[in-house]
Amino acid sequence: MCGRYALALRPSQILRMLRDDNMPAYEAPDDPEDDIDENGASGGSRGSEYNSPRQSYNLPPGSYGVVYRADVPDWGAGPRSKRSGQTSEDTDADHEPPPSSDINIEKQSKEIDEQHTSTNKGDVRYKLQAMKWGLIPFWTKRNPGYGSMMKTINCRDDSLAQSGGMWGSMKARKRCIVVAQGFYEWLKKDGGREKLPHYVKRKDGKLMCFAGLWDVVQYENDEAKQYTYTIITTSSNKQLNFLHDRMPVILDNGSDKMRTWLDPKRHEWSKELQSLLVPYDGELEVYPVSKDVGKVGNNSPTFIIPIDSKENKSNIANFFAKSPAKKEAKKEEDDTKDNIIKTEQPEIQITEIGEFVVKDTKEQKEAKVKFEKTGEDEEKKAIPAGIKRKADEELTNQEPPRKFPSTVLNKGQTTNKKKESSPQKTSGRQKISATSNNSKSPAKSSKSSGTQKITKFFANSS
């Protein structure tokens, strides 16, 4: 089954890519100019009045896609059969609405004859055309509901093998190619409770070409024609068996099989055409994508990016994957800072002098010498730095100087400060206290005999 696919390219881009794959087209829809919404989608959002293809990474049924087909009349390939001689295979051969005047009859007949003559000569021309996804047969008189349209978004290959039926005339006369970048399929888990979307595309990056059928309908009391299409499905290949048992029929771009499928000279169904509807044998790329693609209104380029890819910004694994790299970068940065700030520290050698320890460096190999004068001989004695000096004997026998309290020493100073103190500033405004309201608390009344402490009561009782 194929219920959602991606086609976010402009018609001019599609035309150029198909020409590179030897699929020329002389006609194509115009590129949309201003009809682009906030999600990046364009065209098709205005309904059937605006029949331009929609650019979307999440194209749902009912939207306008791009179809590649042979330029044949609205009744399809082959000669136009008479109404009296219609068969079950040619029920749509003459479904054109009656023209309003003789001039229109002549004009219509001339255009149809030119198209049919060019086809018979072998000068087949192909074109790109915007059509609505969800085939509506030509005999439909009123616009069907969404539920009816959903039944015809896909066509099974085994149903085409049977004669007659709904697809009888279309499979013989109205074959086409549906252009896409890739399609989505959902993997069911836990008995269908959880569905994980997967995106499928060609490994070589080329456009996907689905085999399809088309038709045109004109409702009663409506002059406008509406072109619609369906995608043919077949059994899944080995790559997609784990996802679903069905997949679209994919034809290689510009291949002989594609030319056979689109050939307007083959206007009768055959075993050769049926043999083309087989699982794709080329290489496909399949990977899980964001669950946001499940909602029809969503549209984002991230829908076709793998969920575990580094390019996917919504992947939380990328956030945690960056943390080790950040730690390594921070570590390297800290190491460089240490190398810049760190200076060479001189080596220290520890030597012992008596009971004291002196630290010598390479730059200072000789100990600093401190010269002091003694009170006896006034001679200079060399005393190594770091050694505790012994006190003089005279000083040890004397009493230490007497200490006086600071209040006695500063008594005279405080009296002067009091005299020189600045006068108090008076202001007319009364200060307001946050803790007092300048009122006395009410006097407590003397305790009466009935309000004595309970301890006193028990003391009297004892």
Side-chain angles (χ1 to χ4, degrees):
M1 166 176 192
C2 178
R4 209 80 60 82
Y5 67 88
L7 185 63
L9 302 174
R10 292 174 174 266
S12 59
Q13 293 174 307
I14 298 170
L15 184 64
R16 184 167 58 253
M17 294 178 73
L18 292 178
R19 283 176 178 173
D20 294 340
D21 291 334
N22 196 20
M23 295 174 62
Y26 83 98
E27 184 181 339
D30 296 331
D31 287 345
E33 295 180 357
D34 300 326
D35 187 45
I36 299 177
D37 60 18
E38 59 182 3
N39 294 325
S42 64
S45 57
R46 299 178 184 175
S48 59
E49 296 180 358
Y50 188 72
N51 300 339
S52 178
R54 180 178 180 179
Q55 296 171 232
S56 177
Y57 294 96
N58 188 17
L59 199 146
S63 302
Y64 281 82
V66 176
V67 169
Y68 182 80
R69 70 179 181 93
D71 186 19
V72 295
D74 286 345
W75 72 73
R80 183 175 187 176
S81 61
K82 297 180 180 179
R83 184 180 294 273
S84 57
Q86 286 179 355
T87 63
S88 60
E89 293 287 321
D90 299 325
T91 51
D92 65 329
D94 192 9
H95 63 275
E96 296 291 330
S100 58
S101 64
D102 295 337
I103 299 174
N104 289 336
I105 292 175
E106 293 178 1
K107 186 177 180 181
Q108 243 181 2
S109 300
K110 187 177 180 181
E111 291 177 355
I112 291 170
D113 290 339
E114 288 178 357
Q115 288 177 332
H116 185 57
T117 304
S118 62
T119 303
N120 288 336
K121 288 181 179 179
D123 300 332
V124 182
R125 297 192 303 178
Y126 300 93
K127 66 178 182 179
L128 287 174
Q129 186 176 359
M131 294 189 185
K132 191 175 182 179
W133 188 11
L135 191 140
I136 302 173
F138 71 90
W139 60 78
T140 308
K141 295 181 179 180
R142 297 178 184 84
N143 191 359
Y146 185 78
S148 299
M149 182 197 65
M150 285 294 294
K151 296 178 181 179
T152 57
I153 62 172
N154 293 145
C155 169
R156 293 177 64 96
D157 60 334
D158 50 8
S159 65
L160 299 179
Q162 303 171 3
S163 60
M166 173 182 174
W167 313 106
S169 61
M170 303 168 199
K171 68 182 181 181
R173 294 173 174 266
K174 301 175 181 179
R175 299 183 299 273
C176 67
I177 293 295
V178 181
V179 182
Q181 291 176 268
F183 67 95
Y184 299 97
E185 197 56 74
W186 277 258
L187 177 65
K188 295 180 181 179
K189 286 189 173 184
D190 298 333
R193 296 179 182 177
E194 185 180 4
K195 294 182 180 181
L196 301 177
H198 286 66
Y199 184 66
V200 184
K201 68 175 184 177
R202 289 179 60 132
K203 199 168 185 179
D204 56 10
K206 293 184 178 181
L207 292 174
M208 269 190 170
C209 294
F210 304 145
L213 303 175
W214 65 274
D215 204 349
V216 58
V217 63
Q218 188 171 7
Y219 304 125
E220 289 181 349
N221 303 323
D222 192 355
E223 296 180 357
K225 295 180 182 179
Q226 189 172 81
Y227 292 84
T228 58
Y229 67 92
T230 185
I231 297 173
I232 301 174
T233 62
T234 185
S235 301
S236 291
N237 59 11
K238 294 180 180 180
Q239 287 182 271
L240 302 182
N241 272 335
F242 75 100
L243 272 178
H244 204 278
D245 59 347
R246 307 289 297 178
M247 69 174 293
V249 175
I250 303 172
L251 300 175
D252 281 326
N253 304 0
S255 62
D256 293 336
K257 291 182 178 181
M258 179 177 289
R259 292 190 182 92
T260 301
W261 178 255
L262 295 175
D263 188 5
K265 294 178 182 179
R266 292 178 169 86
H267 48 82
E268 292 182 1
W269 191 250
S270 63
K271 291 182 179 180
E272 184 184 11
L273 294 173
Q274 183 71 40
S275 64
L276 301 176
L277 307 179
V278 293
Y280 185 62
D281 57 355
E283 293 186 2
L284 298 174
E285 192 173 353
V286 189
Y287 48 82
V289 292
S290 173
K291 289 184 178 181
D292 294 337
V293 74
K295 189 176 180 180
V296 173
N298 292 343
N299 183 33
S300 172
T302 59
F303 290 172
I304 62 174
I305 298 176
I307 193 68
D308 55 352
S309 173
K310 293 181 179 179
E311 299 175 5
N312 195 340
K313 295 181 180 179
S314 62
N315 182 15
I316 194 170
N318 292 334
F319 174 79
F320 292 104
K322 291 179 182 178
S323 57
K326 286 183 178 179
K327 287 181 180 178
E328 291 180 2
K330 189 176 181 180
K331 187 177 180 182
E332 291 179 359
E333 187 178 353
D334 293 341
D335 292 341
T336 54
K337 286 183 178 179
D338 291 342
N339 293 334
I340 295 171
I341 298 173
K342 187 177 180 181
T343 56
E344 293 183 359
Q345 297 292 340
E347 295 182 2
I348 300 174
Q349 296 179 357
I350 301 174
T351 58
E352 294 184 1
I353 302 177
E355 298 178 356
F356 302 96
V357 178
V358 181
K359 296 181 180 179
D360 295 340
T361 62
K362 287 184 178 180
E363 296 176 357
Q364 298 175 337
K365 293 182 180 179
E366 297 180 356
K368 293 181 180 179
V369 180
K370 186 177 181 181
F371 295 95
E372 295 184 356
K373 293 182 180 180
T374 60
E376 296 177 356
D377 52 2
E378 300 295 337
E379 293 180 358
K380 294 181 180 180
K381 292 184 179 180
I383 302 175
I387 298 177
K388 190 174 180 181
R389 183 164 54 106
K390 293 183 179 181
D392 295 335
E393 294 181 358
E394 296 178 0
L395 296 175
T396 54
N397 296 329
Q398 293 179 1
E399 294 183 359
R402 188 177 180 184
K403 293 182 179 180
F404 298 94
S406 58
T407 53
V408 178
L409 297 173
N410 299 331
K411 187 176 180 181
Q413 297 178 3
T414 53
T415 53
N416 296 333
K417 284 182 180 180
K418 287 181 181 180
K419 293 179 182 179
E420 296 176 2
S421 60
S422 58
Q424 296 181 357
K425 295 181 181 180
T426 58
S427 58
R429 186 175 178 181
Q430 185 178 3
K431 292 184 179 180
I432 300 173
S433 174
T435 57
S436 175
N437 56 1
N438 297 327
S439 62
K440 295 181 180 180
S441 59
K444 295 182 180 179
S445 60
S446 59
K447 294 181 181 179
S448 61
S449 59
T451 60
Q452 298 178 359
K453 291 184 179 181
I454 191 169
T455 53
K456 187 175 181 182
F457 170 78
F458 287 108
N460 295 334
S461 62
S462 60

